[in-house]
C-alpha cells in the first residue's frame, strides 16, 4: 500500500514514479519471496504465492481508494506520513507475526558464494522470469499514468475511481483462481502462462482501438488484472522452483530488482509516450512490450518437481570437489551449491530421492 498511496494521489509523472518505486523496496520484496519459499513446501508454493499476489492486488485497490482522499485532505506530505505509519506497522508485523525458518546460519564467517549473481544473470530460465516481471510492472505503471485522466475524461471524478477499481480487482482475483488451480493440477503451467500473456496483449490492444468509455476501460482493466494477478502469483513461484540449489536468495534479489526497474521504466515510458502521442499510444506501447515478452517466454519449460535439502558434515576430507562428485552421482540428485568453509551445502533433488544413500559422514536432513 505504501507507494501505491503516493502514486494514486500524485499530480505528475515524477510523483507517480516515486510512488511506484516505493511500493516495496527490492530488498524487502526479495527477502519476503525467499522467506515464503523457505516456509512452504513446493506443492503448496503456488497457492502461497497466489495469496501474496492477491494481497498485492488488494493493497493496490486500497491505495487507489485512499490515495486521492489523503492527497485531497492532507496533500503529498500526508501521503508520506501515511507511508511512515504503514512502514512502522510493517516492522511490528515482521518482528511479532512473521515466522522464522527452521534452518538458520548465524556464523560470522557466512558470506555469499562468489559468482552466484553471475549465475543468476546467465541462466536463461531465470532471465525469462526476470524479464517477465520487468515487463509486467512496466505495463502496469505505464497504463496507470493515463488511466486516471482517461476516467476523468469519460466523466468519472477522481474521488469516484474506486467505484471502478474495487469491483474490477475483486472480480479479477476471483476469476484468476480457477485457472491457477487448473494449471497446477493438470501440469499446464507453460500453456496457461503463455495464454495469459496473450490475453494481456489483447487487453492493451482493445484499450488502444475500442471507442473510449468508462465501461470499456473497466472491461480492459478487468481482463488486464485477471492476467496481472495470475502472473504476479505464478512468476515468483516459477522462480523458486527453477533456481539452482542455494541460489534462492540471490535469484529473488535479482528478480525484485528487475521488478522495480520495470516499474520505473514503465512510468517513464508512459509519461513520454503520452506526452508525444496521447493516451491511446501508451496502451499500444504496452501491447508491444507484452508481445516482446511473449516471444521471449515462448521457449520456457515448466520446472520439474523438486525438493531442497540442507547438508552438513564435520569431517575434513569433504572438500567441494569430492562432495559434489559423490553426492551428484546419486540417483535423483540434480544440482548442489557448497559452502566449504561453513561445512554446509544446499542440494536440489527429485521428491523420490532416498536420503539414506548419502555418503557416511554427511548428516542426513530430517
Amino acid at each position: 500500500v505504501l507507494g501505491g498511496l503516493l502514486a494514486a494521489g500524485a499530480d505528475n509523472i515524477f510523483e507517480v514514479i516515486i510512488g511506484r518505486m516505493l511500493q516495496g523496496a527490492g530488498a524487502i520484496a526479495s527477502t519476503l519471496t525467499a522467506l515464503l519459499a523457505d516456509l512452504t513446501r513446493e506443492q503448496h508454493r503456488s497457492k502461497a504465492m497466489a495469496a501474496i499476489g492477491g494481497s498485492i492486488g488488494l493493497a493496490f485497490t486500497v491505495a487507489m481508494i485512499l490515495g486521492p482522499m489523503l492527497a485531497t485532505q492532507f496533500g503529498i506530505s500526508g501521503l508520506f506520513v501515511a507511508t511512515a505509519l504503514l512502514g512502522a506497522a510493517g516492522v511490528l508485523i515482521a518482528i511479532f507475526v512473521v515466522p522464522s525458518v527452521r534452518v538458520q546460519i548465524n556464523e560470522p564467517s557466512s558470506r555469499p558464494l562468489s559468482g552466484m549473481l553471475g549465475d543468476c544473470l546467465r541462466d536463461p530460465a531465470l532471465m525469462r522470469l526476470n524479464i517477465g516481471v520487468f515487463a509486467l510492472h512496466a505495463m502496469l505503471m505505464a497504463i496507470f499514468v493515463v488511466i486516471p485522466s482517461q476516467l476523468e475524461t469519460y466523466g468519472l471524478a477522481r474521488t469516484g475511481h474506486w467505484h471502478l477499481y474495487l469491483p474490477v480487482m475483486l472480480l479479477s482475483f476471483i476469476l484468476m483462481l480457477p485457472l491457477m488451480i487448473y494449471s497446477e493440477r493438470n501440469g499446464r503451467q507453460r500453456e496457461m502462462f503463455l495464454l495469459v500473456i496473450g490475453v494481456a496483449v489483447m487487453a492493451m490492444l482493445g484499450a488502444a482501438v475500442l471507442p473510449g468509455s468508462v465501461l470499456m476501460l473497466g472491461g480492459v482493466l478487468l481482463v488486464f488484472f485477471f492476467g496481472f494477478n495470475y502472473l504476479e502469483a505464478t512468476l515468483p513461484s516459477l522462480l523458486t522452483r527453477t533456481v539452482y540449489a542455494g541460489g534462492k536468495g540471490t535469484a529473488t534479489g535479482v528478480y525484485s530488482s528487475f521488478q522495480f526497474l520495470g516499474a520505473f521504466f514503465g512510468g517513464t515510458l508512459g509519461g513520454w509516450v503520452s506526452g508525444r502521442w496521447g493516451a491511446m499510444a501508451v496502451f499500444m506501447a504496452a501491447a508491444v512490450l507484452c508481445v516482446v515478452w511473449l516471444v521471449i517466454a515462448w521457449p520456457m519449460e515448466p520446472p520439474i518437481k523438486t525438493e531442497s535439502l540442507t547438508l552438513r558434515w564435520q569431517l575434513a576430507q569433504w572438500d567441494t570437489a569430492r562432495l559434489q562428485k559423490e553426492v551428484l552421482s546419486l540417483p535423483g540428485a540434480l544440482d548442489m551449491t557448497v559452502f566449504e568453509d561453513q561445512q554446509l551445502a544446499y542440494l536440489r533433488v527429485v521428491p523420490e530421492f532416498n536420503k539414506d544413500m548419502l555418503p557416511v559422514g554427511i548428516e542426513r536432513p530430517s
Side-chain angles (χ1 to χ4, degrees), residues 4-250:
L5 287 170
L6 180 56
D11 291 319
N12 60 66
I13 182 60
F14 298 104
E15 291 168 358
V16 173
I17 293 173
I18 293 171
R20 286 295 294 164
M21 291 302 289
L22 286 175
Q23 196 175 0
I28 298 174
S30 61
T31 304
L32 173 65
T33 305
L35 176 62
L36 182 66
D38 287 335
L39 293 172
T40 56
R41 288 178 293 173
E42 183 169 312
Q43 58 266 39
H44 300 304
R45 193 163 298 153
S46 291
K47 290 179 284 187
M49 294 296 180
I52 292 290
S55 69
I56 292 173
L58 180 60
F60 188 82
T61 303
V62 172
M64 297 303 290
I65 295 171
L66 296 182
M69 298 179 182
L70 290 175
T72 301
Q73 188 71 25
F74 304 105
I76 295 298
S77 61
L79 295 177
F80 277 110
V81 172
T83 297
L85 293 176
L86 288 169
V91 171
L92 296 177
I93 292 172
I95 294 174
F96 296 108
V97 179
V98 177
S100 300
V101 295
R102 289 175 294 177
V103 178
Q104 293 184 344
I105 306 301
N106 297 316
E107 300 178 22
S109 61
S110 295
R111 61 185 184 276
L113 192 63
S114 61
M116 294 185 76
L117 177 60
D119 290 341
C120 287
L121 296 175
R122 288 189 295 267
D123 189 314
L126 292 179
M127 283 305 300
R128 287 191 192 99
L129 301 175
N130 293 333
I131 293 171
V133 76
F134 178 95
L136 182 64
H137 283 262
M139 284 190 296
L140 176 67
M141 188 62 249
I143 65 175
F144 267 92
V145 169
V146 297
I147 281 176
S149 61
Q150 287 297 106
L151 289 176
E152 290 186 80
T153 300
Y154 300 149
L156 187 61
R158 178 175 293 193
T159 54
H161 287 186
W162 70 272
H163 293 103
L164 178 67
Y165 295 144
L166 183 58
V168 161
M169 291 300 300
L170 293 178
L171 185 57
S172 64
F173 184 71
I174 293 172
L175 293 174
M176 174 272 295
L177 287 177
L179 183 65
M180 174 161 286
I181 294 172
Y182 170 80
S183 65
E184 287 292 323
R185 287 183 177 177
N186 296 278
R188 307 297 295 272
Q189 294 95 335
R190 177 184 181 273
E191 292 85 350
M192 293 301 102
F193 187 84
L194 297 175
L195 175 63
V196 171
I197 298 176
V199 167
V201 174
M202 299 306 296
M204 295 299 97
L205 290 176
V209 302
L210 293 177
S213 67
V214 172
L215 184 61
M216 181 279 293
L217 206 51
V220 166
L221 288 177
L222 177 62
V223 174
F224 174 78
F225 276 109
F226 161 77
F228 179 87
N229 288 331
Y230 180 89
L231 296 167
E232 184 78 3
T234 303
L235 280 166
S237 176
L238 290 173
L239 182 86
T240 56
R241 294 157 63 182
T242 301
V243 65
Y244 54 86
K248 199 180 302 173
T250 305

Side-chain angles (χ1 to χ4, degrees), residues 325-334 347 353-355 357-359:
K325 179 180 179 181
E326 296 205 20
V327 174
L328 291 179
S329 65
L330 300 175
L334 301 175
L347 175 65
F353 180 78
N354 184 0
K355 302 173 186 176
M357 295 188 300
L358 289 169

Side-chain angles (χ1 to χ4, degrees), residues 341-363:
D341 294 345
Q342 302 167 36
Q343 296 183 315
L344 177 73
Y346 296 102
L347 175 65
R348 193 161 64 109
V349 299
V350 298
E352 299 78 18
F353 180 78
N354 184 0
K355 302 173 186 176
D356 294 331
M357 295 188 300
L358 289 169
V360 176
I362 296 179
E363 177 183 331

Side-chain angles (χ1 to χ4, degrees), residues 205-351:
L205 290 176
V209 302
L210 293 177
S213 67
V214 172
L215 184 61
M216 181 279 293
L217 206 51
V220 166
L221 288 177
L222 177 62
V223 174
F224 174 78
F225 276 109
F226 161 77
F228 179 87
N229 288 331
Y230 180 89
L231 296 167
E232 184 78 3
T234 303
L235 280 166
S237 176
L238 290 173
L239 182 86
T240 56
R241 294 157 63 182
T242 301
V243 65
Y244 54 86
K248 199 180 302 173
T250 305
T252 53
V254 173
Y255 173 88
S256 295
S257 297
F258 272 83
Q259 176 180 341
F260 295 107
L261 285 172
F264 178 83
F265 174 79
T268 305
L269 177 68
W272 181 72
V273 171
S274 176
R276 291 181 65 90
W277 296 292
M280 296 303 102
V282 174
F283 292 111
M284 188 62 70
V288 171
L289 181 63
C290 201
V291 169
V292 173
W293 177 18
L294 182 61
V295 172
I296 294 174
W298 194 267
M300 69 176 290
E301 297 180 0
I304 63 173
K305 292 184 177 181
T306 62
E307 294 180 357
S308 296
L309 304 178
T310 302
L311 308 182
R312 298 175 181 273
W313 64 95
Q314 300 296 329
L315 302 178
Q317 72 259 28
W318 291 111
D319 58 21
T320 300
R322 182 189 173 195
L323 187 69
Q324 289 182 327
K325 179 180 179 181
E326 296 205 20
V327 174
L328 291 179
S329 65
L330 300 175
L334 301 175
D335 58 70
M336 181 169 62
T337 299
V338 181
F339 296 83
E340 188 173 340
D341 294 345
Q342 302 167 36
Q343 296 183 315
L344 177 73
Y346 296 102
L347 175 65
R348 193 161 64 109
V349 299
V350 298

